[in-house]
């Protein structure tokens, strides 16, 4: 049975994107309401230092998914690597940042599970035992409340600024699990 919340940690140059910390806040907030553990996922080749940094937050664990083909971002490689983590952990929710990178590979990832992605959310809340998301539509003139079908995994992206990174709760040091993922043939950047 699916359970838990996976949070994607986007990074560049060894540092986490600020919106990734905001996604951790979303996971922590909703994880507490739904009594679901939060797991952070870092994809890359040599990202153990970043994984240790993320482990300082109040999360159940950090998955450090590695492969040499993840050294530089490509949508196929990231979708391949993250797909394996989602299959292995079978989370109920997958929270991602709403950045250009996620908008590039996120829909591909969700489609591999036969799911859509609730994108550009500005908040989420538990309503009648179900998780509801609010997103802006018509260039921010209206808010739309969206409730997923509830079948796992539910993919959602959060707009930058939807949650405050300074509200991320620190923990006592979450365990870091290193996982080697298989990546199919992807076009690498020319050297």
């Amino acid at each position: 049975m699916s359970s838990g919340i996976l949070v994607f940690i986007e990074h560049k140059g060894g540092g986490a994107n600020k919106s990734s910390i905001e996604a951790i806040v979303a996971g922590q907030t909703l994880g507490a309401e739904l009594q679901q553990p939060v797991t952070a996922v870092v994809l890359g080749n040599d990202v153990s230092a970043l994984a240790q940094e993320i482990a300082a937050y109040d999360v159940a664990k950090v998955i450090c998914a590695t492969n040499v083909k993840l050294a530089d971002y490509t949508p196929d490689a990231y979708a391949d690597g993250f797909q394996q983590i989602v299959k292995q952990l079978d989370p109920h929710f997958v929270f991602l940042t709403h950045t250009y990178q996620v908008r590039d590979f996120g829909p591909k990832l969700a489609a591999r599970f036969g799911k859509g992605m609730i994108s550009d959310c500005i908040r989420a809340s538990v309503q009648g035992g179900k998780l509801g998301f609010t997103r802006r539509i018509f260039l921010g003139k209206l808010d739309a409340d969206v409730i997923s079908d509830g079948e796992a995994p539910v993919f959602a992206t959060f707009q930058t600024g939807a949650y405050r990174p300074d509200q991320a709760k620190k923990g006592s040091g979450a365990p870091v699990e290193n996982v080697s993922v298989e990546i199919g043939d992807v076009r690498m950047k020319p050297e």
Side-chain angles (χ1 to χ4, degrees):
M1 180 172 166
S2 300
S3 70
I5 299 171
L6 280 187
V7 177
F8 171 68
I9 305 300
E10 184 175 334
H11 58 90
K12 186 172 185 178
N17 182 321
K18 179 184 93 165
S19 57
S20 293
I21 307 306
E22 294 173 11
I24 288 174
V25 176
Q28 289 174 336
T29 303
L30 296 166
E33 282 188 65
L34 297 167
Q35 298 180 351
Q36 296 280 330
V38 177
T39 300
V41 179
V42 181
L43 300 174
N45 182 36
D46 183 20
V47 289
S48 56
L50 175 60
Q52 289 298 327
E53 179 184 320
I54 298 301
Y57 290 98
D58 186 18
V59 294
K61 68 180 168 179
V62 178
I63 302 292
C64 187
T66 60
N67 185 299
V68 69
K69 292 181 182 177
L70 294 172
D72 293 313
Y73 169 77
T74 64
D76 291 333
Y78 268 53
D80 284 355
F82 206 12
Q83 177 184 8
Q84 291 171 52
I85 300 302
V86 172
K87 281 184 176 179
Q88 178 186 349
L89 296 179
D90 192 25
H92 198 89
F93 302 101
V94 179
F95 291 167
L96 305 109
T97 58
H98 191 76
T99 61
Y100 288 117
Q101 187 180 89
V102 170
R103 288 168 47 187
D104 191 33
F105 87 89
K108 177 185 294 243
L109 173 66
R112 290 180 178 188
F113 290 90
K115 304 294 282 181
M117 188 165 63
I118 304 169
S119 64
D120 212 14
C121 300
I122 58 170
R123 68 183 155 269
S125 61
V126 179
Q127 303 167 0
K130 292 189 176 187
L131 186 57
F133 299 91
T134 302
R135 53 186 310 271
R136 293 266 157 88
I137 58 174
F138 298 117
L139 299 173
K141 292 181 175 108
L142 294 173
D143 288 349
D145 291 326
V146 179
I147 296 178
S148 76
D149 63 6
E151 292 186 29
V154 174
F155 294 87
T157 69
F158 289 92
Q159 197 178 86
T160 300
Y163 291 87
R164 292 180 34 190
D166 61 347
Q167 292 180 339
K169 295 178 186 134
K170 293 289 188 167
S172 57
V176 175
E177 182 180 328
N178 293 303
V179 177
S180 180
V181 291
E182 296 295 320
I183 306 297
D185 291 333
V186 295
R187 178 174 281 181
M188 300 299 284
K189 290 179 10 178
E191 295 187 36

